[in-house]
Amino acid sequence: LAWGQVLSVGQGGGRGGSSMSVSSSMKAALQSPAPKLSLTEEESVRGGADASSDGSINLLGLSVTAQARAVFCMAVAMACHYLSYSLARPTTLALFTSSTVGFAHSPGAFPLAMACISPTSLLLLFIYTNMLDAKGPRKALRGTTLMCSLVLSTAAGLVAYLSKSDSTSNTWMVRTVVGALFVYRESYVQLLTSQYWSFICSTLTPSQGSTWFAPISGLTSVTSATAGLLVKTVIDSVGLTGAVAMAGVVLLFSILAAEQAYAISETYGFNPAAEHFAKKKKENESTTPIVKQNMISKATALFARVPTLWALFCEILAAQGLSTLLNVCFVAKLSTAVPEDDMRAGWMGKFYALINVVSCCLQFGVLPQAMSKIEPSLLWRVMPIIMATYLFYQSVQPSPSLYLVSGALFLFKTLEFSIRRMLDEMVYVPLDFESRFVGKEVIGVFGYRFGKSGMSLALSGLTSIFGNFGISQLSYLTTGASTIWLLCAWRLSTLVPTRAEAEEVYAKNKQEGSSLPKKGH
């Protein structure tokens, strides 16, 4: 399906008509013939399992489909990932801001480290796209997870070993490892998260996604909150480096759940990798030479074909630029208010635990019911309006307190974890394999981190010209950044389809897929 035409609606004067009706451009795109893949009887496509053999099981009197079991397994895998990440995040930040092994006395170190995140993310994205192209999504997820676990554990061991000596050379090396670990931890989280969500978006329908995306995110909030509450206890038991090593070990458990999810999808005919391998087979059998595209060319062509992905990319750049400014404010204020390393790590653990508790309440108790009545486009607009209002109030305060500064980051992260993450995934559900597995990674990994790095570079440049900024000056910058986010999010809201439009496009795609031969079970 030429989805790029569908998502172009609204670029030249809006959608037109009622928000629940399908515009003339939408109808034209839906009526146009979609390119079909030629599959053999041994291959399956997205949604291709027969209803009579969907793998349903009876659980406490309830019929649980194979799709539901696969999504649950992948959600558990993602929860394990966030359990690991929530152990690694406060501990790596505490190491980075430490006065002994970190950069407590180097105010320019944090912006510089944030600037290094973008090229690191680009390198990880290059590794992932090569794995995806050669091995498919299942092995790409397995390989990247093993890589991340190994880096965390190895870096923790090096820091523990090198910090035993007080020699100048060891001090330089341990700070290099601590800085690299901080940059890597900031870079890899979206690399794995996007892969879990790509599978889930490939399995659920738009209506199912609007109901279940929030609770699925809620499961990650539960594990993240649990880890945040346990951070201080873990650090007291095994130290900062031991907690980082533990995060690497916990990450390995996500592989078991992810493998089970892919095994179920492959058995019952809805493996998202089928589209990838069908395309590869068609390319191998073609007599026409296939021109290999590099990652940048592939992403450029994809954004041109699907304008909504480009708008989402710009929105993420703006949102993560704001996130970086809020984080810089928070770290600067917290470092002076709580100078002890262990206390600061414990404070941060409880802070992020509270964010996840509030997000969890919204994800389980509010959003599943609200999303049946509210269009996604409205929420895309409301989020930046809330942030712009709060940050304007903060900017007019003569000396913002720790609680006011941390409240801004708390509000942004709560909106991001509970609402924005759900809206982001809803965009991908009706899209094709390339949009879900390649475009999503480009946006989620590179776009997400480039927004942080770009803002960090800009902040470093301003600091070199005007000197270090205080909290008040940084508050002015956050107000401006929130305004830019509002403009980008508003633009995106005019392109995302309504629930009715998304369902119609998804049904059209599924109808095209169901007309192709399916493998027997």
Side-chain angles (χ1 to χ4, degrees), residues 16 46 49 82 129 134 136 164 198 203 205 230 235 285 326 328 347-348 360 382 423 450 456 469 473:
R46 181 183 181 189
Y82 272 94
T129 52
K164 292 179 180 179
S198 293
T203 306
T205 67
L230 293 176
I235 292 174
E285 293 175 349
L326 294 175
V328 169
W347 200 97
M348 288 191 60
C360 188
V382 167
L423 295 176
F450 185 68
S456 296
F469 290 115
Q473 290 77 22

Side-chain angles (χ1 to χ4, degrees), residues 243-379:
V244 176
M246 185 179 294
V249 174
V250 170
L251 188 57
L252 294 175
F253 288 96
S254 68
I255 297 178
L256 302 177
E259 286 291 312
Q260 182 63 19
Y262 268 106
I264 294 172
S265 70
E266 187 172 346
T267 300
Y268 296 104
F270 56 92
N271 186 359
E275 296 176 58
H276 169 74
F277 289 117
K279 181 180 178 182
K280 293 286 290 184
K281 182 176 181 179
K282 186 176 180 180
E283 290 177 353
N284 292 335
E285 293 175 349
S286 175
T287 57
T288 304
I290 303 297
V291 179
K292 293 290 185 179
Q293 289 183 306
N294 59 39
M295 183 178 59
I296 297 177
S297 299
K298 187 180 292 186
T300 302
L302 183 60
F303 287 157
R305 179 169 64 87
V306 188
T308 300
L309 292 183
W310 171 247
L312 182 59
F313 182 80
C314 294
E315 185 274 337
I316 281 186
L317 290 181
Q320 295 312 309
L322 173 60
S323 177
T324 299
L325 284 173
L326 294 175
N327 208 19
V328 169
C329 286
F330 174 68
V331 170
K333 194 71 178 180
L334 183 63
S335 295
T336 56
V338 187
E340 296 83 5
D341 294 346
D342 290 353
M343 291 294 295
R344 188 167 60 253
W347 200 97
M348 288 191 60
K350 293 178 181 179
F351 174 75
Y352 280 102
L354 183 59
I355 290 175
N356 284 291
V357 167
V358 175
S359 299
C360 188
C361 293
L362 292 173
Q363 290 160 335
F364 283 108
V366 178
L367 292 175
Q369 291 74 28
M371 287 310 299
S372 63
K373 303 177 178 64
I374 302 175
E375 288 293 345
S377 58
L378 178 61
L379 292 179

Side-chain angles (χ1 to χ4, degrees), residues 84-96:
S84 167
Y85 180 73
S86 296
L87 284 173
R89 175 174 51 196
T91 49
T92 54
L93 184 55
L95 286 170
F96 187 85

